[in-house]
């Protein structure tokens, strides 16, 4: 190999190394930019969260959880009622009166909705811990927590689907009504072998919680699928960003 070939090989390696280092720096800048956007959104998102409905539902859930301490009885039904209150409160999470204004901001909707959920999730987890501590005796915390998670996921999925497929700026009330109706119908109309609300001594206890796990998976899947911008907003955005025609074209 000649000196010219060796020199060209060194230049090629140097160029490849420079390109790789440049791509790494660009990736780091992109990640830092995403974090900066999220930090900038924290304050506005926190101020616009609909705290009133979740707070009322949370207070009602704590009352349900504490009832067996005043009137002795089983704690499973009050815990299930508290879990339903949690889900009804979370149904309002995506309510945004300024939805049609914020649709034009550069931050993607999955980031904005994910940030809302990230801000509320720790509060919901602490609240559910307090509910379990209020319940007398030794309730089946794991299975009931699975039921609460499934109901919460279904509530969030219903709200996200309403935002995705409709123009509703505040779908919380309709989602909560739908969830309450579905919960009552499931309790009253499902046959015994498909029942979701069974006691620990029931032979269907394990099978019922397999069904609860399936409902949780469905809720998470619908939430993920409903994350992108609504179809109508996407069409409007594409039209507004289309280059206007010039005379003579």
């Amino acid at each position: 190999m000649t000196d010219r070939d060796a020199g060209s090989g060194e230049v090629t390696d140097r160029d490849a190394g420079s390109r790789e280092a440049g791509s790494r720096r660009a990736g780091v800048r992109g990640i830092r930019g995403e974090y900066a956007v999220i930090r900038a959104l924290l304050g506005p998102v926190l101020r616009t969260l609909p705290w009133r409905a979740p707070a009322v539902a949370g207070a009602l859930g704590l009352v349900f959880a504490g009832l067996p301490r005043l009137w002795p009885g089983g704690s499973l039904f009050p815990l299930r009622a508290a879990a339903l209150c949690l889900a009804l409160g979370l149904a309002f999470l995506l309510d945004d009166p300024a939805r049609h204004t914020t649709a034009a901001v550069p931050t993607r909707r999955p980031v904005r909705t994910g940030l809302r959920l990230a801000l509320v999730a720790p509060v919901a987890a602490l609240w559910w811990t307090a509910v379990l501590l209020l319940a007398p005796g030794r309730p089946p915390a794991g299975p009931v927590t699975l039921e609460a998670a499934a109901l919460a996921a279904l509530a969030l999925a219903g709200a996200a689907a309403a935002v995705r497929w409709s123009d509703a700026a505040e779908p919380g009330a309709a989602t909560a009504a739908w969830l309450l109706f579905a919960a009552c119908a499931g309790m009253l109309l499902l046959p015994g072998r498909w029942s979701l609300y069974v006691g620990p001594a029931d032979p269907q206890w394990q099978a019922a919680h397999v069904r609860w796990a399936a409902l949780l998976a469905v809720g998470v899947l619908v939430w993920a699928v409903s994350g992108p911008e609504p179809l109508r907003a996407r069409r409007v955005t594409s039209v507004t960003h289309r280059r206007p025609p010039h005379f003579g074209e």
Side-chain angles (χ1 to χ4, degrees), residues 138-162:
R138 300 174 64 89
V144 179
T145 300
L146 173 61
E147 296 178 16
L151 288 171
L154 291 174
L156 293 170

PDB file of all heavy atoms in Angstrom, residues 138-162:
ATOM      1  N   ARG A 138     -57.792  -6.737  56.914  1.00  0.00           N
ATOM      2  CA  ARG A 138     -56.743  -7.026  55.936  1.00  0.00           C
ATOM      3  C   ARG A 138     -57.400  -7.258  54.570  1.00  0.00           C
ATOM      4  O   ARG A 138     -57.604  -8.409  54.154  1.00  0.00           O
ATOM      5  CB  ARG A 138     -55.927  -8.244  56.355  1.00  0.00           C
ATOM      6  CG  ARG A 138     -55.233  -8.076  57.715  1.00  0.00           C
ATOM      7  CD  ARG A 138     -54.555  -9.359  58.140  1.00  0.00           C
ATOM      8  NE  ARG A 138     -53.485  -9.724  57.240  1.00  0.00           N
ATOM      9  CZ  ARG A 138     -52.221  -9.300  57.388  1.00  0.00           C
ATOM     10  NH1 ARG A 138     -51.913  -8.482  58.388  1.00  0.00           N
ATOM     11  NH2 ARG A 138     -51.284  -9.684  56.556  1.00  0.00           N
ATOM     12  N   PRO A 139     -57.760  -6.198  53.859  1.00  0.00           N
ATOM     13  CA  PRO A 139     -58.395  -6.380  52.548  1.00  0.00           C
ATOM     14  C   PRO A 139     -57.401  -6.937  51.534  1.00  0.00           C
ATOM     15  O   PRO A 139     -56.179  -6.776  51.682  1.00  0.00           O
ATOM     16  CB  PRO A 139     -58.816  -4.952  52.175  1.00  0.00           C
ATOM     17  CG  PRO A 139     -57.856  -4.080  52.906  1.00  0.00           C
ATOM     18  CD  PRO A 139     -57.563  -4.785  54.200  1.00  0.00           C
ATOM     19  N   PRO A 140     -57.897  -7.618  50.498  1.00  0.00           N
ATOM     20  CA  PRO A 140     -56.999  -8.144  49.447  1.00  0.00           C
ATOM     21  C   PRO A 140     -56.452  -6.998  48.596  1.00  0.00           C
ATOM     22  O   PRO A 140     -56.988  -6.676  47.530  1.00  0.00           O
ATOM     23  CB  PRO A 140     -57.912  -9.073  48.648  1.00  0.00           C
ATOM     24  CG  PRO A 140     -59.284  -8.536  48.875  1.00  0.00           C
ATOM     25  CD  PRO A 140     -59.302  -7.944  50.250  1.00  0.00           C
ATOM     26  N   ALA A 141     -55.380  -6.370  49.080  1.00  0.00           N
ATOM     27  CA  ALA A 141     -54.898  -5.125  48.477  1.00  0.00           C
ATOM     28  C   ALA A 141     -54.471  -5.313  47.027  1.00  0.00           C
ATOM     29  O   ALA A 141     -54.780  -4.481  46.171  1.00  0.00           O
ATOM     30  CB  ALA A 141     -53.730  -4.571  49.304  1.00  0.00           C
ATOM     31  N   GLY A 142     -53.760  -6.400  46.739  1.00  0.00           N
ATOM     32  CA  GLY A 142     -53.269  -6.611  45.377  1.00  0.00           C
ATOM     33  C   GLY A 142     -54.391  -6.741  44.351  1.00  0.00           C
ATOM     34  O   GLY A 142     -54.432  -5.989  43.365  1.00  0.00           O
ATOM     35  N   PRO A 143     -55.326  -7.674  44.546  1.00  0.00           N
ATOM     36  CA  PRO A 143     -56.424  -7.808  43.582  1.00  0.00           C
ATOM     37  C   PRO A 143     -57.288  -6.556  43.455  1.00  0.00           C
ATOM     38  O   PRO A 143     -57.698  -6.186  42.358  1.00  0.00           O
ATOM     39  CB  PRO A 143     -57.228  -8.996  44.128  1.00  0.00           C
ATOM     40  CG  PRO A 143     -56.239  -9.792  44.907  1.00  0.00           C
ATOM     41  CD  PRO A 143     -55.326  -8.784  45.515  1.00  0.00           C
ATOM     42  N   VAL A 144     -57.560  -5.883  44.584  1.00  0.00           N
ATOM     43  CA  VAL A 144     -58.393  -4.685  44.500  1.00  0.00           C
ATOM     44  C   VAL A 144     -57.636  -3.554  43.806  1.00  0.00           C
ATOM     45  O   VAL A 144     -58.227  -2.750  43.083  1.00  0.00           O
ATOM     46  CB  VAL A 144     -58.868  -4.260  45.908  1.00  0.00           C
ATOM     47  CG1 VAL A 144     -59.722  -3.013  45.835  1.00  0.00           C
ATOM     48  CG2 VAL A 144     -59.667  -5.384  46.542  1.00  0.00           C
ATOM     49  N   THR A 145     -56.327  -3.486  43.999  1.00  0.00           N
ATOM     50  CA  THR A 145     -55.524  -2.492  43.280  1.00  0.00           C
ATOM     51  C   THR A 145     -55.549  -2.759  41.779  1.00  0.00           C
ATOM     52  O   THR A 145     -55.581  -1.817  40.971  1.00  0.00           O
ATOM     53  CB  THR A 145     -54.082  -2.508  43.801  1.00  0.00           C
ATOM     54  OG1 THR A 145     -54.086  -2.198  45.208  1.00  0.00           O
ATOM     55  CG2 THR A 145     -53.218  -1.495  43.069  1.00  0.00           C
ATOM     56  N   LEU A 146     -55.549  -4.037  41.393  1.00  0.00           N
ATOM     57  CA  LEU A 146     -55.686  -4.371  39.974  1.00  0.00           C
ATOM     58  C   LEU A 146     -57.031  -3.873  39.432  1.00  0.00           C
ATOM     59  O   LEU A 146     -57.101  -3.314  38.326  1.00  0.00           O
ATOM     60  CB  LEU A 146     -55.559  -5.883  39.791  1.00  0.00           C
ATOM     61  CG  LEU A 146     -55.835  -6.421  38.378  1.00  0.00           C
ATOM     62  CD1 LEU A 146     -54.854  -5.832  37.371  1.00  0.00           C
ATOM     63  CD2 LEU A 146     -55.771  -7.944  38.362  1.00  0.00           C
ATOM     64  N   GLU A 147     -58.093  -4.063  40.199  1.00  0.00           N
ATOM     65  CA  GLU A 147     -59.410  -3.574  39.768  1.00  0.00           C
ATOM     66  C   GLU A 147     -59.400  -2.046  39.625  1.00  0.00           C
ATOM     67  O   GLU A 147     -59.928  -1.499  38.643  1.00  0.00           O
ATOM     68  CB  GLU A 147     -60.473  -3.996  40.785  1.00  0.00           C
ATOM     69  CG  GLU A 147     -60.658  -5.503  40.897  1.00  0.00           C
ATOM     70  CD  GLU A 147     -61.681  -5.884  41.956  1.00  0.00           C
ATOM     71  OE1 GLU A 147     -62.454  -4.980  42.379  1.00  0.00           O
ATOM     72  OE2 GLU A 147     -61.722  -7.064  42.370  1.00  0.00           O
ATOM     73  N   ALA A 148     -58.787  -1.369  40.607  1.00  0.00           N
ATOM     74  CA  ALA A 148     -58.726   0.095  40.532  1.00  0.00           C
ATOM     75  C   ALA A 148     -57.912   0.554  39.326  1.00  0.00           C
ATOM     76  O   ALA A 148     -58.293   1.523  38.638  1.00  0.00           O
ATOM     77  CB  ALA A 148     -58.112   0.650  41.826  1.00  0.00           C
ATOM     78  N   ALA A 149     -56.807  -0.122  39.048  1.00  0.00           N
ATOM     79  CA  ALA A 149     -55.979   0.249  37.888  1.00  0.00           C
ATOM     80  C   ALA A 149     -56.733   0.026  36.584  1.00  0.00           C
ATOM     81  O   ALA A 149     -56.637   0.841  35.653  1.00  0.00           O
ATOM     82  CB  ALA A 149     -54.677  -0.562  37.901  1.00  0.00           C
ATOM     83  N   ALA A 150     -57.495  -1.063  36.503  1.00  0.00           N
ATOM     84  CA  ALA A 150     -58.261  -1.328  35.284  1.00  0.00           C
ATOM     85  C   ALA A 150     -59.341  -0.271  35.077  1.00  0.00           C
ATOM     86  O   ALA A 150     -59.528   0.242  33.959  1.00  0.00           O
ATOM     87  CB  ALA A 150     -58.892  -2.723  35.359  1.00  0.00           C
ATOM     88  N   LEU A 151     -60.055   0.089  36.144  1.00  0.00           N
ATOM     89  CA  LEU A 151     -61.081   1.129  36.021  1.00  0.00           C
ATOM     90  C   LEU A 151     -60.458   2.469  35.626  1.00  0.00           C
ATOM     91  O   LEU A 151     -60.991   3.193  34.782  1.00  0.00           O
ATOM     92  CB  LEU A 151     -61.843   1.267  37.337  1.00  0.00           C
ATOM     93  CG  LEU A 151     -62.811   0.130  37.689  1.00  0.00           C
ATOM     94  CD1 LEU A 151     -63.335   0.299  39.115  1.00  0.00           C
ATOM     95  CD2 LEU A 151     -63.977   0.086  36.700  1.00  0.00           C
ATOM     96  N   ALA A 152     -59.306   2.803  36.231  1.00  0.00           N
ATOM     97  CA  ALA A 152     -58.635   4.054  35.888  1.00  0.00           C
ATOM     98  C   ALA A 152     -58.186   4.050  34.429  1.00  0.00           C
ATOM     99  O   ALA A 152     -58.334   5.057  33.716  1.00  0.00           O
ATOM    100  CB  ALA A 152     -57.436   4.270  36.815  1.00  0.00           C
ATOM    101  N   ALA A 153     -57.642   2.922  33.975  1.00  0.00           N
ATOM    102  CA  ALA A 153     -57.195   2.835  32.583  1.00  0.00           C
ATOM    103  C   ALA A 153     -58.372   2.968  31.623  1.00  0.00           C
ATOM    104  O   ALA A 153     -58.261   3.627  30.579  1.00  0.00           O
ATOM    105  CB  ALA A 153     -56.466   1.507  32.351  1.00  0.00           C
ATOM    106  N   LEU A 154     -59.505   2.364  31.957  1.00  0.00           N
ATOM    107  CA  LEU A 154     -60.686   2.488  31.094  1.00  0.00           C
ATOM    108  C   LEU A 154     -61.199   3.922  31.061  1.00  0.00           C
ATOM    109  O   LEU A 154     -61.634   4.416  30.012  1.00  0.00           O
ATOM    110  CB  LEU A 154     -61.781   1.538  31.568  1.00  0.00           C
ATOM    111  CG  LEU A 154     -61.498   0.041  31.364  1.00  0.00           C
ATOM    112  CD1 LEU A 154     -62.596  -0.797  32.010  1.00  0.00           C
ATOM    113  CD2 LEU A 154     -61.377  -0.304  29.881  1.00  0.00           C
ATOM    114  N   ALA A 155     -61.159   4.610  32.202  1.00  0.00           N
ATOM    115  CA  ALA A 155     -61.594   6.009  32.231  1.00  0.00           C
ATOM    116  C   ALA A 155     -60.683   6.869  31.363  1.00  0.00           C
ATOM    117  O   ALA A 155     -61.158   7.695  30.563  1.00  0.00           O
ATOM    118  CB  ALA A 155     -61.592   6.518  33.669  1.00  0.00           C
ATOM    119  N   LEU A 156     -59.378   6.701  31.512  1.00  0.00           N
ATOM    120  CA  LEU A 156     -58.430   7.477  30.702  1.00  0.00           C
ATOM    121  C   LEU A 156     -58.564   7.126  29.222  1.00  0.00           C
ATOM    122  O   LEU A 156     -58.470   8.011  28.361  1.00  0.00           O
ATOM    123  CB  LEU A 156     -57.011   7.216  31.191  1.00  0.00           C
ATOM    124  CG  LEU A 156     -56.684   7.744  32.589  1.00  0.00           C
ATOM    125  CD1 LEU A 156     -55.329   7.217  33.045  1.00  0.00           C
ATOM    126  CD2 LEU A 156     -56.688   9.259  32.605  1.00  0.00           C
ATOM    127  N   ALA A 157     -58.777   5.846  28.931  1.00  0.00           N
ATOM    128  CA  ALA A 157     -58.940   5.437  27.533  1.00  0.00           C
ATOM    129  C   ALA A 157     -60.190   6.052  26.926  1.00  0.00           C
ATOM    130  O   ALA A 157     -60.182   6.508  25.777  1.00  0.00           O
ATOM    131  CB  ALA A 157     -59.002   3.914  27.445  1.00  0.00           C
ATOM    132  N   GLY A 158     -61.297   6.077  27.697  1.00  0.00           N
ATOM    133  CA  GLY A 158     -62.513   6.691  27.184  1.00  0.00           C
ATOM    134  C   GLY A 158     -62.335   8.171  26.910  1.00  0.00           C
ATOM    135  O   GLY A 158     -62.787   8.689  25.876  1.00  0.00           O
ATOM    136  N   ALA A 159     -61.659   8.886  27.824  1.00  0.00           N
ATOM    137  CA  ALA A 159     -61.422  10.315  27.608  1.00  0.00           C
ATOM    138  C   ALA A 159     -60.515  10.548  26.403  1.00  0.00           C
ATOM    139  O   ALA A 159     -60.761  11.446  25.583  1.00  0.00           O
ATOM    140  CB  ALA A 159     -60.808  10.928  28.864  1.00  0.00           C
ATOM    141  N   ALA A 160     -59.450   9.738  26.288  1.00  0.00           N
ATOM    142  CA  ALA A 160     -58.533   9.901  25.156  1.00  0.00           C
ATOM    143  C   ALA A 160     -59.221   9.591  23.831  1.00  0.00           C
ATOM    144  O   ALA A 160     -58.992  10.278  22.828  1.00  0.00           O
ATOM    145  CB  ALA A 160     -57.318   8.998  25.346  1.00  0.00           C
ATOM    146  N   ALA A 161     -60.077   8.570  23.820  1.00  0.00           N
ATOM    147  CA  ALA A 161     -60.800   8.240  22.587  1.00  0.00           C
ATOM    148  C   ALA A 161     -61.768   9.351  22.211  1.00  0.00           C
ATOM    149  O   ALA A 161     -61.938   9.676  21.031  1.00  0.00           O
ATOM    150  CB  ALA A 161     -61.534   6.916  22.762  1.00  0.00           C
ATOM    151  N   ALA A 162     -62.406   9.961  23.220  1.00  0.00           N
ATOM    152  CA  ALA A 162     -63.323  11.071  22.925  1.00  0.00           C
ATOM    153  C   ALA A 162     -62.572  12.248  22.323  1.00  0.00           C
ATOM    154  O   ALA A 162     -63.057  12.903  21.386  1.00  0.00           O
ATOM    155  CB  ALA A 162     -64.050  11.489  24.200  1.00  0.00           C
TER     156      ALA A 162
END
